Each structure stands twice: as C-alpha cells, then as structure tokens.
Amino acid sequence: MDNMQQTIYSINGTTNGHCRLKSMNFEIPENSISHETQGLSRNRLVVRRGKPFKVTLKSDSWLWNPCAESLVLEVCLGGLSKRIPVLFYEEQSHPQLYDWKATIYPGNMHPQSVIIHICAPVQSSVALYELLAHIETRRSRKTYVLGTFVLLCNPWLKGDPVYMPLDAHKEEYIKSDYGLVYMGSSLNVSKRPWSFGLYEPGVLEACLKLLEFSPQHLTDKNKDYTLRADPVYLSRVVCAMINCNDDLGILEGKWQGSYKNGVKPTDWSGSADILLRWASSKCRPVRYGQCWVFASVLCTVMRVLGIPSRVVTVFNAAHDGNGNMIIEEFYTRTGEKFGVSKDSIWNFHVWVECWMRRPDLGAGCDGWQVVDPTPQEKSEGIFCCGPCPVAAIQHHWLDARYDIPFVCASVDADVVRLIVHNGLVVGKTVDTECVGKLIYTKSIGSDKPENLKLTYKPDKRGNTSVCARTLQHQGTMSPNLNVTLKIVGVPKLGEPIHICVTITNQCKNPRVLVGHINAQVKEYDSSPCEAFWDAQTEVQIQPFSVTTVNHTISHFKYQSFLAGDDIVNLAVVLKDMRTKETFLAAEEFSISPPQITIQIEGGNSIQLKKQRTVLVSFTNCLSTALYEAVLTVQGAGLLEGKQVAKIILLQPGEKIEKKVSITATSPGTKLLMATLSHSNNPNIIARWYHKVSVTA
C-alpha cells in the first residue's frame, strides 16, 4: 500500500477520458424534503445528522467492479476525515449507531449509475463537509472530489440531544422564520414582530461563517470541529459570537448617545440584514444592537443550525452585579430616583431559550436552557451567558452550569427601595414580587403571549420563607400603613395619564401624611432622567380606613418629553407628620404609541416577485398640531431603501399617507415597518409593523 498509485479527479465539468465517474447528483430537492431543510439553501445540500440521505453517481459504464475493487467514500472536515466503505445492504450485518454508513440498497445498482444512501452518526459535528469517493485496488486508487454538504442537528430524531417530540413545537421553534418580541413594561406590554430570515439567501452561509471565525475555531480548528457535535458547546460559541466584545462577533451594542454612524437598534426588524452585513464586511461588527436584537439574531442562528429556540422577554429583569439576589434603589424624599446603584432593573430584558439535553448535569436539567448574548457579565472569561437550565433556575440549583446565580437574580431578586436624606436612610421598602413580573414568549401558532413565569420561579403566594425574608428586610417600615400606586387604564400618547394612590391605615390612630409624587422618563435599561412632572399632596386619614388620592398628568405636561413606547418611573413618598415615618411606593409604565395603518391591496399574502400596492397612513389623534411630520416606510426583502412622505403642518384630525409598491424577492415571512416623527419631539412617536406572507 505504501507504493499505491493515486489519481485525483474533480468531476465538475471534467472531460478527462480516464475519469470513470462522470457526474454526481446530491438529489437536493428530495433530500431537502426528507430532512426538513427546504429553503435553507438553493444550491447546496443541507441534511440532518442521524438520517440517511442519498446521492447518485453516474458513469459511462460500470463505475467499479465489486469483485476486484472497493468503493470508499470519505468525509473531510478540516484536518479530520472519516473513510466510509460503501456496502451492499446484505453486507450491513452489524450497523454501528455511532459511525458513518454508506449503503447500496437492492435495485440501486445500475450499469451507468449507482444510488448510495449515506448516514451520519447522530453525534456528528455541525459543519460544512467535503465528500470524496475512492475506487481502490491493492495497487491503485482513483479519487473523485464530489462536492460539499452541510450537516445540521436533528430535532426530528429521538437519539439527537436536541430531539423535540411534538411536531407543532418543531414547526414553531425550528422552521418558523417569524416571531414576536415583547417589550414595554409589565403594565403595558407591547409586541414587535421580527423576521428571523432563516430562508433568506446567504443566511445559512453567514451562520457557518460565524462558526469558522469563532476564537475556538481560530485557535484549534480540529478541536472545534470535534466539539461541535455538542449543542451545549455550540450554544456557547454562537452566544459569544453574537456580540463583538471579545471576538470577531456580529453586533456592537450601544445603549445611549448618537447612533448616526450605524443603525438605531429600534430600526431593525429582522436578522437577515444584520447577518448578511456582517458576512460581507470581512467580519466587522454591525452597529448597533440592544438586547432584543442580540437575542433575535441568536435565535436565527440556532434555528438554522437545527437547535430549537425561542425568544423570551423578562419584564423587570434584575442585573445583580454582586450576586446577593438584592437590588437596591435610592430615592429622594420627593420621590425622585437616583442613578447611583451598580445594580439595576431593566423594564424588560430579552434572551433566548434553546432546547437540548444536558448529560453534563443530569436529566433534571434537560429541556429549555437560557442563552443570553447581550454582553453584561463574563462567563468563564468571555461575554456570553448560558446555556443555563430553566429547571435549575426554578429550583435555585446554583452550582449547575452555566451562570445560574446571575440568571436566578434576573428573574427572582428582591428590590430594596431606600429613601435617602442628607446621606441617611429615612425609609425602606422591600418588594419580593417586582422582579420577573412577567416572562413572555410567543405562543405556538399564535401571536398571543405565553407566560413562562412559573417555569422560572415558584409561586410565592403562601411561601412562608419568602414572608420571613420580607419582614427581615423591612426595618423602619411600619406594618400599620400600606401605600400603593396604580396607573388607571392603559396610558396612550396624546391622552391624560391617570394615577391613583391608595393609602390603608391599619392602626388605631389617625394620620396626617404629607408628600410628593414624581414622574421621570427613562430608557428601559437605565436609571431615570430629570423629573418632568411632580405634585405635592397632603392626606388626613382616620384609623382603620382606606383613602385614595387621584392625580392626572395632562398631555400638555408630558408632550415635550415622551414619545410612543417611552417608559416612565413614577414614585410617591409620604411622611407621617406625627411619627416621622416615611413611606414609598413606585411603579413604572410605558406609553402606547398612536396607530399607523398599513393596508396591502389584495390581502396580506403575496406571491414571489409579484408587485403589490400598499397604502400607509397616519391620522393625528393628538390634541396639538405636528410640525414637519415625516411618515417613513421600509421593509427588508420588499422595498429598496426607505419611502418617505412629509407634511409641514399636520393638524389634529388630519391625515398623512404614503402609497408604495412592494415586490418580494424571496419566500417566507416579511415585515413592513412604518414610523412617524415630527419636529416637536426628537424621538419617533409611533412605530408599527405589518406581517406579509410570501409564497413561491
């Protein structure tokens, strides 16, 4: 064998008369249907591990003589390769579950062609493979370069660590290219459609490129290829590559300041544009992302690689930097919130759940895993988080891998609110219910939210350990007076905001309470800015009685400060003039934007490359005129660039509209996005989305 003569042929367009193998067919249409990979690539074979796929080899005569020659396939991955003897079905006496197989079934061997069924082991690595064919004797070998194929995880196969038994779940969490991101506040939840773009040309290639440019691959290619069989490893690699903080990752995050040298995070509506920009720019990070953008792009990549995934929003998500499960907030005696704490609570935070088994932790940790690509804290030296078993979060198994304490605090920390005057704490409350108020994901086959709260944290009602913890923290607070703050109705831009303060006196003495109520605008992930509205109040309340105090913030008072989807921090501080006790109640809420109407001629389902007309309109429902109003329409895969309508003065009740023509360039779910801005306010006051289904 050392003196074996070897000849290598490429069968792509060869005219070499000595080449026995003239052509090969990867049978892409048939294999794509069988492997549930339709649409992921137009010209490349994409298959799933653990399930056979077929290829057809063609020649002018018999390809090889089974009596004197051997036909051997070889799959190559970097410096790794595996030889696969091609056997007739009758010869497959002891098939190995964890080895490659190549089989010729009865009736598949013909004088000028042979059909071979190839099956990768269920624990094969996710990657782009090269396929070779060898015709060998003891003294010679003819090698044919057949081409490349992509191998993905297989949630349809029971032996795969990402196996998902229910078809409806696989349809939603693997095949669907449309999703919803829930945002706003727990009192006023808004939803933003997102196009995952799984089937956009180039997205599969961008996902594979992401793996090739990871630090793990650049450091040791063969080790990385070997470990890619494990979805736990894959999820950590991909998670770190979604942000660019310590690698050649996809997105650069930005949470404040100007976005002029990039795209404002709120302007993204799909993953494909982001992935394709990164892939075509020599891996320069795309600007800019925030939590829902990071999470949605991660969800796209994981679904493409075959790992079931869904986007999850935690409302009132805690960022606990020191791991003590306590978030401290500081207020003045007038109810204004300080931004001095290293810990914080985001009105919402978005991450991803990925479905997989966890043999490294045991069966109790199988199922949904939190994977969070937003760069907040380092995990084992890199900016990623997870995979963190949801079951371990619920049971507070803090030693389980990965990042359990940090994620537990995100959904279940206590909030300690301190009233500070002249450097001293003059009042304190503890809220054990605020964090993780809602945990939403899109329902299967529906745009309604599914609340996952009880999968993350036990119901605290009747939990004596929680009550004891609350009493221990309350310190200076009187158990005989309770103050609550409530927003009446759903606040809408242009309408008054109605506030109700309820005071319950449970002691035998009357009280005279004096205080302030204060409103501050804030970003979803940061401390409030300067107050834009406040009011003083004085209340006399009798023993064992309840009284309410109502306040109204008029549109005139907030119109210069708030736009659609903005978030308000509201706090009331009351002081008992006799006992000198101080009481605090706080709430945060978002403002619903006014509606933009989007109407597609002929309905919301359109045909590929067929032009349709869309009418987009906005009626000024506000009580004031809007100067230099601008209506903007855009849609990736439907429109080239932005379409704009402008009007110098839009009076109350008047309409601005824009008619556009759309043409879909690829099938799947697309999104039209329309925004309304004006010179009275630097922010966009309304943003609306419209789902468009494109059929081939």
Side-chain angles (χ1 to χ4, degrees):
M1 293 293 286
D2 292 339
N3 297 320
M4 175 183 286
Q5 180 182 353
Q6 179 165 337
T7 309
I8 300 177
Y9 301 97
S10 173
I11 65 168
N12 296 324
T14 182
T15 57
N16 191 324
H18 298 288
C19 178
R20 289 198 223 169
L21 180 58
K22 297 302 181 183
S23 67
M24 73 90 62
N25 188 342
F26 272 119
E27 308 291 354
I28 291 176
E30 183 178 342
N31 284 323
S32 296
I33 294 172
S34 174
H35 284 252
E36 304 282 355
T37 59
Q38 307 99 305
L40 288 178
S41 180
R42 295 178 180 178
N43 51 20
R44 192 188 298 278
L45 176 63
V46 184
V47 291
R48 301 191 185 276
R49 60 192 188 182
K51 181 169 184 172
F53 62 94
K54 76 175 189 179
V55 299
T56 302
L57 307 184
K58 296 183 179 180
S59 59
D60 291 336
S61 59
W62 291 102
L63 181 60
W64 90 105
N65 179 0
C67 297
E69 299 172 313
S70 298
L71 178 60
V72 178
L73 299 182
E74 185 175 3
V75 286
C76 303
L77 201 54
L80 307 174
S81 66
K82 178 66 178 177
R83 287 170 54 85
I84 318 166
V86 178
L87 301 177
F88 290 96
Y89 177 72
E90 297 80 2
E91 300 174 307
Q92 297 276 15
S93 55
H94 298 289
Q96 298 295 315
L97 182 63
Y98 300 104
D99 207 354
W100 288 81
K101 293 186 294 183
T103 307
I104 301 173
Y105 288 94
N108 286 344
M109 181 80 171
H110 306 285
Q112 295 181 328
S113 68
V114 59
I115 298 172
I116 303 172
H117 287 79
I118 305 169
C119 188
V122 71
Q123 295 282 16
S124 296
S125 298
V126 172
L128 175 66
Y129 289 77
E130 185 178 37
L131 182 63
L132 309 177
H134 306 292
I135 299 176
E136 299 177 349
T137 67
R138 295 188 60 185
R139 307 186 67 84
S140 68
R141 174 191 295 157
K142 289 183 170 60
T143 297
Y144 301 87
V145 180
L146 302 181
T148 59
F149 65 95
V150 176
L151 192 63
L152 305 177
C153 294
N154 192 351
W156 280 265
L157 186 66
K158 195 168 185 178
D160 198 298
V162 301
Y163 171 67
M164 182 168 263
L166 298 180
D167 288 341
H169 289 195
K170 291 191 286 283
E171 194 70 31
E172 182 74 43
Y173 302 134
I174 281 287
K175 299 182 70 175
S176 176
D177 67 345
Y178 163 76
L180 288 174
V181 181
Y182 295 95
M183 306 171 75
S185 66
S186 60
L187 293 178
N188 190 7
V189 175
S190 61
K191 58 186 179 183
R192 170 172 297 197
W194 190 271
S195 175
F196 292 119
L198 311 180
Y199 309 112
E200 293 290 329
V203 166
L204 169 68
E205 288 73 18
C207 295
L208 295 172
K209 185 172 184 176
L210 176 152
L211 296 176
E212 301 293 303
F213 280 83
S214 71
Q216 293 86 343
H217 189 80
L218 296 176
T219 301
D220 188 335
K221 291 182 175 61
N222 290 342
K223 181 180 179 181
D224 173 61
Y225 278 135
T226 302
L227 293 174
R228 279 197 216 168
D230 179 10
V232 175
Y233 173 82
L234 270 177
S235 63
R236 284 186 67 77
V237 170
V238 174
C239 180
M241 282 295 291
I242 297 300
N243 68 72
C244 68
N245 284 46
D246 39 24
D247 48 37
L248 298 172
I250 292 172
L251 274 163
E252 181 178 333
K254 191 170 188 179
W255 284 265
Q256 56 188 359
S258 172
Y259 299 94
K260 287 184 178 179
N261 60 344
V263 177
K264 192 174 182 180
T266 49
D267 288 347
W268 298 114
S269 60
S271 303
D273 190 13
I274 295 169
L275 287 164
L276 297 178
R277 288 191 190 202
W278 174 80
S280 63
S281 68
K282 297 182 180 178
C283 303
R284 288 194 300 270
V286 178
R287 297 172 172 172
Y288 292 101
Q290 291 180 8
C291 66
W292 70 93
V293 184
F294 287 110
S296 298
V297 174
L298 172 65
C299 188
T300 293
V301 177
M302 299 306 275
R303 287 187 183 183
V304 167
L305 299 181
I307 300 174
S309 301
R310 61 187 183 185
V311 174
V312 173
T313 300
V314 179
F315 287 95
N316 300 341
H319 184 141
D320 179 22
N322 58 12
N324 65 354
M325 294 287 287
I326 294 174
I327 306 297
E328 290 185 326
E329 297 182 339
F330 299 90
Y331 289 80
T332 67
R333 291 198 302 177
T334 60
E336 196 165 352
K337 187 177 180 181
F338 292 127
V340 297
S341 176
K342 291 183 179 180
D343 297 337
S344 61
I345 294 179
W346 293 12
N347 292 90
F348 66 89
H349 180 57
V350 185
W351 59 44
V352 174
E353 286 182 359
C354 300
W355 179 270
M356 64 189 74
R357 289 201 291 268
R358 292 298 301 270
D360 56 324
L361 298 178
C365 290
D366 291 346
W368 290 115
Q369 317 282 318
V370 171
V371 184
D372 187 356
T374 301
Q376 299 179 84
E377 302 286 339
K378 286 191 173 184
S379 171
E380 297 188 352
I382 58 174
F383 278 103
C384 75
C385 179
C388 172
V390 173
I393 300 167
Q394 184 190 49
H395 294 98
H396 283 217
W397 295 335
L398 300 181
D399 293 333
R401 300 177 78 185
Y402 293 86
D403 311 305
I404 296 285
F406 184 76
V407 180
C408 277
S410 297
V411 299
D412 204 20
D414 290 346
V415 181
V416 178
R417 299 188 178 102
L418 304 169
I419 307 168
V420 180
H421 181 63
N422 291 334
L424 298 175
V425 175
V426 297
K428 179 168 70 172
T429 64
V430 176
D431 190 338
T432 62
E433 297 293 334
C434 168
V435 172
K437 191 82 170 180
L438 299 172
I439 303 177
Y440 273 2
T441 192
K442 178 184 175 298
S443 294
I444 295 173
S446 165
D447 283 359
K448 294 180 180 179
E450 178 185 355
N451 192 356
L452 306 174
K453 179 178 176 180
L454 292 181
T455 68
Y456 277 85
K457 48 197 283 189
D459 191 348
K460 291 182 179 179
R461 290 174 296 184
N463 189 327
T464 56
S465 63
V466 171
C467 295
R469 182 174 60 183
T470 304
L471 293 174
Q472 177 186 347
H473 284 317
Q474 281 185 338
T476 61
M477 295 303 299
S478 168
N480 296 321
L481 189 88
N482 185 46
V483 181
T484 60
L485 189 60
K486 182 181 180 182
I487 310 303
V488 181
V490 177
K492 296 180 180 179
L493 194 69
E495 298 180 1
I497 300 170
H498 300 288
I499 304 159
C500 179
V501 181
T502 302
I503 305 162
T504 305
N505 185 13
Q506 298 172 329
C507 73
K508 61 183 179 181
N509 298 316
R511 292 178 184 263
V512 177
L513 304 170
V514 175
H516 293 78
I517 187 167
N518 182 290
Q520 301 164 271
V521 66
K522 71 183 289 285
E523 296 287 343
Y524 76 96
D525 63 332
S526 62
S527 298
C529 306
E530 185 179 349
F532 66 85
W533 175 88
D534 63 6
Q536 296 184 353
T537 187
E538 182 173 329
V539 180
Q540 297 183 12
I541 184 169
Q542 297 302 312
F544 304 109
S545 63
V546 178
T547 189
T548 58
V549 180
N550 295 299
H551 293 274
T552 299
I553 308 176
S554 67
H555 176 234
F556 175 77
K557 289 288 187 180
Y558 72 76
Q559 65 177 347
S560 299
F561 300 92
L562 298 179
D565 292 327
D566 273 350
I567 293 170
V568 176
N569 183 84
L570 193 69
V572 58
V573 175
L574 298 174
K575 182 177 181 180
D576 188 315
M577 300 307 293
R578 180 178 64 86
T579 66
K580 307 304 179 184
E581 292 171 301
T582 306
F583 305 91
L584 168 71
E587 192 62 87
E588 292 185 344
F589 62 92
S590 54
I591 304 289
S592 294
Q595 182 175 355
I596 299 175
T597 301
I598 302 175
Q599 295 176 308
I600 302 176
E601 175 190 22
N604 299 325
S605 180
I606 67 174
Q607 281 190 308
L608 184 67
K609 297 182 180 179
K610 297 287 186 181
Q611 191 176 83
R612 284 284 190 89
T613 300
V614 180
L615 181 63
V616 183
S617 61
F618 172 81
T619 301
N620 183 7
C621 60
L622 308 180
S623 58
T624 57
L626 304 179
Y627 293 90
E628 298 178 353
V630 179
L631 180 64
T632 304
V633 186
Q634 57 187 310
L638 296 170
L639 277 172
E640 285 289 338
K642 297 180 180 180
Q643 303 289 313
V644 176
K646 299 180 179 180
I647 188 169
I648 295 176
L649 184 65
L650 188 65
Q651 296 283 4
E654 289 185 347
K655 179 187 292 187
I656 181 175
E657 61 183 27
K658 178 68 177 178
K659 186 176 287 188
V660 301
S661 295
I662 61 172
T663 304
T665 56
S666 60
T669 303
K670 314 294 179 190
L671 293 175
L672 281 170
M673 180 175 70
T675 61
L676 195 284
S677 60
H678 61 95
S679 61
N680 308 43
N681 192 308
N683 300 312
I684 289 172
I685 69 163
R687 186 188 311 271
W688 283 78
Y689 300 85
H690 196 83
K691 182 170 68 170
V692 182
S693 298
V694 181
T695 57

